[in-house]
Amino acid sequence: MKGRKETQDAKMLDASTSPKRQEVVVKALRPQKVTLKVSRAGPQEVQTKDGTISVDIPARAVGETFEFNFGPAPDYVLRAPWAPTERHYDFGRSDGRALHVPVPAGQKRVFLIPKGLMLDIPNGTSPGAVLCFKHPDKAAVSNWFTTRLPKNWRAGKRYLPVRLPKEEYQFEYGSGNFFQDMCQQFLLLIEQMWEDFTQMCQNCRFW
């Protein structure tokens, strides 16, 4: 189990280590679910407890209440057969640790979401740059964290999801609506395929 490619792994630095001159210091924001009444489509600024974020509102949401998950996408979706009692599944992680997933009675889908942060990437940051950031809860975690901006990072993108080291997954349970779950996974798959395609093109000399 390695998780989704677009969510980067972060590393915590020693307490005495600070960002180097060539490294880019970025702001980290905690994930949250954003709900707002939409009056127009396009980018909109939304105030959160960690600062202002930009949300791209689709035209289909105008006049409705729009819900947006500002945070890392699920690394995995566990599909289990329906059962009247709670079940438990165990998996191996790429870091050697075991992952224990409980599935409540009557539930058939579990979304495994990494506990992480969203990094606000400044315009003009070069793909492959080393990023440094602090946890929004500085009172609990004072160390700096570091990760690297993907080499296929596209101009115009703003937020990079990161996994924090040694954090467990949080679980969200699907309603059992197979069509909705498959649509969500299809959109995530298309996004991943586009990331892979742009990376392949950047490696070609004619691109």
Side-chain angles (χ1 to χ4, degrees):
M1 299 179 64
K2 294 184 179 180
R4 295 178 59 80
K5 291 182 179 180
E6 66 268 27
T7 303
Q8 299 295 298
D9 291 318
K11 180 176 67 174
M12 181 187 288
L13 300 177
D14 294 335
S16 59
T17 304
S18 298
K20 300 177 182 178
R21 179 176 299 180
Q22 68 272 23
E23 296 173 339
V24 181
V25 176
V26 299
K27 182 177 182 179
L29 304 103
R30 281 169 283 201
Q32 61 180 297
K33 294 186 183 300
V34 178
T35 302
L36 67 159
K37 185 69 175 179
V38 177
S39 59
R40 59 180 177 84
Q44 295 190 29
E45 300 295 316
V46 178
Q47 187 64 38
T48 72
K49 54 190 174 183
D50 294 326
T52 302
I53 64 173
S54 178
V55 179
D56 193 15
I57 306 297
R60 59 178 172 77
V62 174
E64 301 180 357
T65 299
F66 180 67
E67 294 185 354
F68 175 77
N69 181 39
F70 181 72
D75 271 345
Y76 308 98
V77 178
L78 172 63
R79 294 181 175 87
W82 185 92
T85 58
E86 184 176 83
R87 292 139 293 160
H88 298 266
Y89 297 89
D90 293 302
F91 302 91
R93 295 175 48 151
S94 58
D95 59 7
R97 293 184 294 159
L99 176 62
H100 182 75
V101 182
V103 181
Q107 296 289 350
K108 297 193 294 182
R109 288 171 181 80
V110 187
F111 298 90
L112 279 63
I113 303 173
K115 292 184 179 179
L117 298 169
M118 299 293 283
L119 303 186
D120 191 348
I121 309 300
N123 286 331
T125 304
S126 300
V130 176
L131 309 175
C132 293
F133 62 95
K134 286 223 171 182
H135 196 287
D137 188 359
K138 298 181 179 64
V141 186
S142 60
N143 296 50
W144 284 93
F145 291 83
T146 184
T147 190
R148 188 176 291 274
L149 192 64
K151 293 183 178 180
N152 61 344
W153 182 259
R154 300 195 309 272
K157 291 185 66 175
R158 180 169 175 181
Y159 299 107
L160 175 70
V162 294
R163 302 180 191 87
L164 296 178
K166 298 183 179 179
E167 286 284 359
E168 298 298 332
Y169 279 103
Q170 60 187 18
F171 307 131
E172 289 189 3
Y173 299 96
S175 60
N177 188 317
F178 178 79
F179 179 75
Q180 290 182 354
D181 288 347
M182 288 300 295
C183 286
Q184 180 182 16
Q185 289 306 301
F186 178 74
L187 292 175
L188 293 175
L189 177 62
I190 293 297
E191 181 182 352
Q192 182 65 68
M193 291 174 62
W194 175 253
E195 295 285 349
D196 293 341
F197 175 74
T198 55
Q199 178 65 62
M200 179 185 67
C201 291
Q202 287 175 358
N203 293 332
C204 295
R205 295 182 179 179
F206 58 85
W207 182 258

